[in-house]
Amino acid sequence: MAFETGSYGNPAATNQRDYWRVTLQLVKRAKVDLAMLVLMSAVLIPLDIHLKDWLLSTRAVAVLGIAMSIFIGFRNTQAISRWWEARTLWGTVVNKSRVWADGLRGLLSEQQWRSERTQQLVQLQVAIVWQLNFQLRNFWHPDLQLMRQQLLDQLALPDDSTVRSLSVQRMMGIQKLAEDQWIHEWGRKHLLEISDAMTDAVGGLERIRNTPIPPPYDLFVRVINWVFGTQLLLSFESQGSALTGILLFFGFLIAERIGAYVEGPFDQDGSSFSMPLNTICVGISEDLMPRELNYGRYRPSRNPVFWD
């Protein structure tokens, strides 16, 4: 039975041919750690050192390896949890943005819906979403920043508007609709609930951005990883298999670093470690203001290796 392909795009997925790009991203991020590993290997392996003065017992190394696996596993689990919570909160932003436009459309008459006031309320929600994107990451694609400025100009709002000031404008808009009796009390409550849900999502995203994993824990995991890796290197060197020790050290090092990178879902490099915020915001914009915004040279990607 033949199937036809639609126009909605395939689900986001990493292709095997892109694995080398992910590897390059890892190497770029961990270049300092990898340089230190190369330097340590170059210094320790050729030296005729007394290994018994440096090596722990075999049992101690085994226990240290178990502890290291637990710490790395815990860190990576927490990192993925932070990343997924951020994605869930952005899912709330997407849904509430749609409900905001649908709620206005359902509460107002056709004439009221087409009015400049109502369309500005829809545009205001889009402006809030883009401003949240920029504030979380503190950087932007130049063409998207220009689009944001043009949107704020249409709303007669200053260029230095923040998520908070735009949210206040949204609440004032709700108040004005109620005062002019465009919406009844139930409709006002419905719009306020949407606004409250958006505020909760924004607060959660700001918490993730501004609260990293506690520095003492980060330092402890890194130090114990290097201690364990050094012991692996020396242990396999004493058995005449230094390359095996280096590769195992490299594996533990990268595993620990992946957890550290995923902990920051709003990083600036636009790599597969960060979230596709521009792509999400373009989706919201097209839902609420189809074909009205000019994104310039920016084109969203559904490839997790390239999204930003």
Side-chain angles (χ1 to χ4, degrees), residues 3 50 53 65 74 80 83 89 92 106 111 124 140 163 170 176 183 198-199 212 215 229 249 262 269 282:
F3 292 92
H50 299 287
D53 297 332
F74 176 77
I80 292 297
W83 195 98
L89 290 171
T92 299
Q111 182 179 2
L124 185 59
W140 44 79
V163 172
R170 181 177 56 199
K176 189 65 175 175
I183 56 175
M198 277 290 301
T199 301
F249 193 172
V262 176
D269 62 1
V282 168

Side-chain angles (χ1 to χ4, degrees), residues 249-261:
F249 193 172
F250 173 80
F252 276 94
L253 181 65
I254 291 298
E256 187 272 331
R257 286 292 82 198
I258 288 175
Y261 303 149

Side-chain angles (χ1 to χ4, degrees), residues 54 56 88 115 170-172 293 307:
W54 292 71
L56 298 174
T88 301
S115 68
R170 181 177 56 199
M171 297 301 289
M172 293 172 60
L293 298 178
W307 67 25

Side-chain angles (χ1 to χ4, degrees), residues 107-162:
L107 290 170
L108 302 176
S109 66
E110 184 67 22
Q111 182 179 2
Q112 291 171 335
W113 165 252
R114 296 183 179 277
S115 68
E116 181 179 359
R117 174 196 295 186
T118 304
Q119 294 308 305
Q120 285 185 342
L121 285 176
V122 175
Q123 295 170 359
L124 185 59
Q125 178 65 25
V126 174
I128 291 173
V129 168
W130 280 107
Q131 185 62 35
L132 176 61
N133 174 358
F134 297 152
Q135 286 186 205
L136 289 175
R137 299 199 294 181
N138 197 34
F139 79 102
W140 44 79
H141 189 289
D143 290 347
L144 295 180
Q145 172 66 354
L146 178 61
M147 176 273 297
R148 166 194 170 273
Q149 292 176 348
Q150 293 172 346
L151 183 58
L152 291 177
D153 290 342
Q154 293 178 16
L155 294 169
L157 295 174
D159 289 344
D160 60 351
S161 297
T162 64

Side-chain angles (χ1 to χ4, degrees), residues 24 30 46 53 64 68 79 98 154 158 177 190 204 233 308:
L24 288 178
D53 297 332
L64 190 60
M68 194 66 252
R98 292 168 175 167
Q154 293 178 16
L177 290 177
H190 175 64
L233 179 60
D308 63 353

Side-chain angles (χ1 to χ4, degrees), residues 96 98-115 117-119 121-122 170 173-178 180-195:
K96 295 306 176 182
R98 292 168 175 167
V99 173
W100 172 258
D102 292 347
L104 289 171
R105 188 69 179 85
L107 290 170
L108 302 176
S109 66
E110 184 67 22
Q111 182 179 2
Q112 291 171 335
W113 165 252
R114 296 183 179 277
S115 68
R117 174 196 295 186
T118 304
Q119 294 308 305
L121 285 176
V122 175
R170 181 177 56 199
I174 296 175
Q175 183 183 34
K176 189 65 175 175
L177 290 177
D180 294 346
Q181 296 184 347
W182 282 31
I183 56 175
H184 44 67
E185 185 59 27
W186 182 90
R188 178 174 177 271
K189 181 180 178 181
H190 175 64
L191 295 179
L192 288 176
E193 289 175 348
I194 298 173
S195 181

Side-chain angles (χ1 to χ4, degrees), residues 25-304:
Q25 290 175 0
L26 278 170
V27 171
K28 182 179 178 180
R29 280 289 196 95
K31 57 182 179 294
V32 175
D33 296 87
L34 295 179
M36 292 178 61
L37 174 59
V38 172
L39 179 61
M40 177 181 293
S41 302
V43 170
L44 292 181
I45 292 177
L47 291 180
D48 184 18
I49 59 177
H50 299 287
L51 292 178
K52 65 179 182 179
D53 297 332
W54 292 71
L55 278 172
L56 298 174
S57 67
T58 303
R59 182 174 298 179
V61 174
V63 172
L64 190 60
I66 295 173
M68 194 66 252
S69 299
I70 293 173
F71 281 120
I72 291 179
F74 176 77
R75 176 167 199 169
N76 286 6
T77 299
Q78 294 302 308
I80 292 297
S81 295
R82 283 168 56 88
W83 195 98
W84 189 249
E85 182 186 3
R87 184 61 187 90
T88 301
L89 290 171
W90 265 102
T92 299
V93 172
V94 172
N95 292 338
K96 295 306 176 182
S97 296
R98 292 168 175 167
V99 173
W100 172 258
D102 292 347
L104 289 171
R105 188 69 179 85
L107 290 170
L108 302 176
S109 66
E110 184 67 22
Q111 182 179 2
Q112 291 171 335
W113 165 252
R114 296 183 179 277
S115 68
E116 181 179 359
R117 174 196 295 186
T118 304
Q119 294 308 305
Q120 285 185 342
L121 285 176
V122 175
Q123 295 170 359
L124 185 59
Q125 178 65 25
V126 174
I128 291 173
V129 168
W130 280 107
Q131 185 62 35
L132 176 61
N133 174 358
F134 297 152
Q135 286 186 205
L136 289 175
R137 299 199 294 181
N138 197 34
F139 79 102
W140 44 79
H141 189 289
D143 290 347
L144 295 180
Q145 172 66 354
L146 178 61
M147 176 273 297
R148 166 194 170 273
Q149 292 176 348
Q150 293 172 346
L151 183 58
L152 291 177
D153 290 342
Q154 293 178 16
L155 294 169
L157 295 174
D159 289 344
D160 60 351
S161 297
T162 64
V163 172
R164 183 58 191 153
S165 65
L166 295 175
S167 298
V168 171
Q169 290 291 328
R170 181 177 56 199
M171 297 301 289
M172 293 172 60
I174 296 175
Q175 183 183 34
K176 189 65 175 175
L177 290 177
E179 288 177 352
D180 294 346
Q181 296 184 347
W182 282 31
I183 56 175
H184 44 67
E185 185 59 27
W186 182 90
R188 178 174 177 271
K189 181 180 178 181
H190 175 64
L191 295 179
L192 288 176
E193 289 175 348
I194 298 173
S195 181
D196 290 345
M198 277 290 301
T199 301
D200 289 341
V202 170
L205 290 167
E206 291 176 340
R207 168 177 51 79
I208 294 173
R209 178 194 189 271
N210 299 326
T211 311
I213 294 294
Y217 182 81
D218 180 47
L219 177 62
F220 174 75
V221 174
R222 293 203 70 179
V223 169
I224 194 174
N225 194 29
W226 277 92
V227 171
F228 174 63
T230 303
Q231 289 296 314
L232 275 179
L233 179 60
L234 294 176
S235 177
F236 279 93
E237 163 65 11
S238 67
Q239 301 173 31
S241 183
L243 180 60
T244 301
I246 293 174
L247 292 177
L248 289 174
F249 193 172
F250 173 80
F252 276 94
L253 181 65
I254 291 298
E256 187 272 331
R257 286 292 82 198
I258 288 175
Y261 303 149
V262 176
E263 284 171 4
F266 312 124
D267 288 343
Q268 295 188 12
D269 62 1
S271 69
S272 54
F273 302 109
S274 56
M275 289 183 55
L277 297 192
N278 289 342
T279 302
I280 293 173
C281 290
V282 168
I284 295 173
S285 302
E286 290 304 305
D287 282 343
L288 273 61
M289 301 173 58
R291 296 177 297 279
E292 293 185 31
L293 298 178
N294 179 15
Y295 309 112
R297 294 163 296 177
Y298 175 79
R299 293 295 179 269
S301 172
R302 294 182 58 80
N303 187 332

